[in-house]
Amino acid sequence: MKFFRTLHWRLMAVFFLLVIALMIIVGTFLIYSVEDTYYKAFVNDVETWSANLEKAGVLSEEIIASDNYVEDVYKTFKLYFQVDENTRKAYLLDEIGGIIYPQKSGETMSKNPDITQGIIIAMNGKESIQIADKYFEFSKPIIANGQVKYIFHLVQDRSTINEVIFSLKQTIIYAIFATLAIAVFITYLLSRAITVPIYKLQARAEKMAEGDFTPITELKSGDEISQLADRFNYMAQKLDTTLSEISKEELAKSNSCLPQATNFI
């Protein structure tokens, strides 16, 4: 337990904490940046595709009112939004979120989407782009006569993004261990540069207590510890001089008292 109270251990602890804090901050920033980049790309894509649909007149009330609109608009949406049914799935919902397309006949049946926050917003007549742990979603209301008649719902899988983030997390963990190993080495060198001179001063102080006032000559680095050693040498010199003077005075007193003692005898 004594080791944990030493300056060496304290320097190591400070370096460890700094390294870990720095890597956590950098790692969090990188993960957020990756996720934000993918999200912005998704937002830009759906906004562009949605604008192209508006320009093409696919969402005009006359077309919406046609008998073949539901199937045609679903296929059009899939075409414009580049639906591949693997990473990106499309649904055409009714005004209460029930699935209309895809159907078992003619289309591969997909899992019915949950009523998400994005779908609820679309039920109220507003477009919505939402982000979740496993997917991005885009919900667009199709309005006729001022009422929501259909909802186009697009879901983009985030597995690729999550794999990138997972790999990034692994890289950050490896980087933390590598940086900690380097920090241990740097801390060892730095602590030795500080503690070794201190230990030498400590050893010299113990010798001074025994009466050895030999000056320290090996601490000439020019830094603060070297300056401390110089002051230490100055103190040792002054103590040596003072003790020598006291010793001479005591000897002189003894010599002056000796004749008187002889005469008395």
Side-chain angles (χ1 to χ4, degrees):
M1 293 301 294
K2 185 179 179 181
F3 172 75
F4 294 103
R5 294 194 295 269
T6 62
L7 181 61
H8 179 79
W9 167 250
R10 291 174 183 176
L11 286 172
M12 289 184 63
V14 169
F15 264 77
F16 278 17
L17 292 175
L18 285 175
V19 168
I20 292 174
L22 180 61
M23 294 303 295
I24 290 175
I25 292 171
V26 172
T28 303
F29 174 76
L30 289 175
I31 292 171
Y32 172 80
S33 297
V34 169
E35 188 172 33
D36 187 60
T37 299
Y38 277 94
Y39 177 69
K40 286 181 178 178
F42 176 75
V43 171
N44 182 68
D45 286 343
V46 296
E47 287 179 348
T48 301
W49 297 330
S50 184
N52 291 337
L53 274 176
E54 296 283 355
K55 292 178 182 178
V58 177
L59 302 179
S60 66
E61 292 200 6
E62 293 180 0
I63 297 178
I64 294 174
S66 65
D67 294 335
N68 297 326
Y69 175 78
V70 174
E71 183 177 0
D72 290 343
V73 77
Y74 176 66
K75 292 180 178 179
T76 302
F77 268 115
K78 287 183 63 177
L79 178 64
Y80 271 82
F81 285 81
Q82 303 177 14
V83 175
D84 57 14
E85 295 298 338
N86 291 318
T87 60
R88 188 175 295 151
K89 298 181 183 295
Y91 303 89
L92 190 65
L93 311 176
D94 58 25
E95 69 278 7
I96 60 172
I99 189 169
I100 300 175
Y101 275 97
Q103 295 178 340
K104 289 184 179 180
S105 59
E107 294 284 352
T108 302
M109 185 61 182
S110 299
K111 183 181 178 181
N112 195 25
D114 297 327
I115 303 299
T116 62
Q117 183 67 26
I119 294 176
I120 293 173
I121 293 173
M123 289 178 184
N124 293 305
K126 296 180 180 180
E127 287 188 4
S128 172
I129 300 175
Q130 300 289 324
I131 181 172
D133 291 336
K134 296 182 178 180
Y135 57 84
F136 297 132
E137 67 170 10
F138 170 67
S139 302
K140 182 178 182 64
I142 301 172
I143 299 174
N145 299 321
Q147 299 292 326
V148 175
K149 190 171 183 179
Y150 305 109
I151 297 171
F152 175 71
H153 184 63
L154 180 72
V155 178
Q156 179 164 309
D157 184 60
R158 280 189 46 172
S159 58
T160 301
I161 305 170
N162 291 339
E163 287 174 3
V164 172
I165 293 175
F166 179 75
S167 298
L168 184 59
K169 288 180 179 178
Q170 283 187 319
T171 302
I172 292 171
I173 292 173
Y174 296 148
I176 288 176
F177 283 112
T179 307
L180 285 176
I182 295 172
V184 168
F185 179 70
I186 294 175
T187 304
Y188 174 76
L189 296 179
L190 180 60
S191 64
R192 279 188 59 83
I194 297 173
T195 57
V196 169
I198 293 175
Y199 293 150
K200 289 181 178 179
L201 288 173
Q202 181 181 350
R204 180 55 59 193
E206 291 173 355
K207 288 187 175 295
M208 284 179 59
E210 297 171 358
D212 183 358
F213 297 100
T214 304
I216 302 172
T217 59
E218 61 268 30
L219 299 179
K220 299 295 182 183
S221 57
D223 56 13
E224 289 81 357
I225 294 179
S226 177
Q227 294 174 15
L228 177 61
D230 291 339
R231 304 312 299 172
F232 198 87
N233 287 336
Y234 176 76
M235 180 185 68
Q237 182 183 0
K238 294 293 289 184
L239 280 174
D240 189 20
T241 302
T242 301
L243 290 175
S244 296
E245 291 175 353
I246 293 173
S247 179
K248 289 178 181 179
E249 290 177 1
E250 292 293 331
L251 181 60
K253 288 180 180 180
S254 297
N255 291 335
S256 63
C257 291
L258 183 60
Q260 297 178 6
T262 303
N263 292 333
F264 178 76
I265 293 172

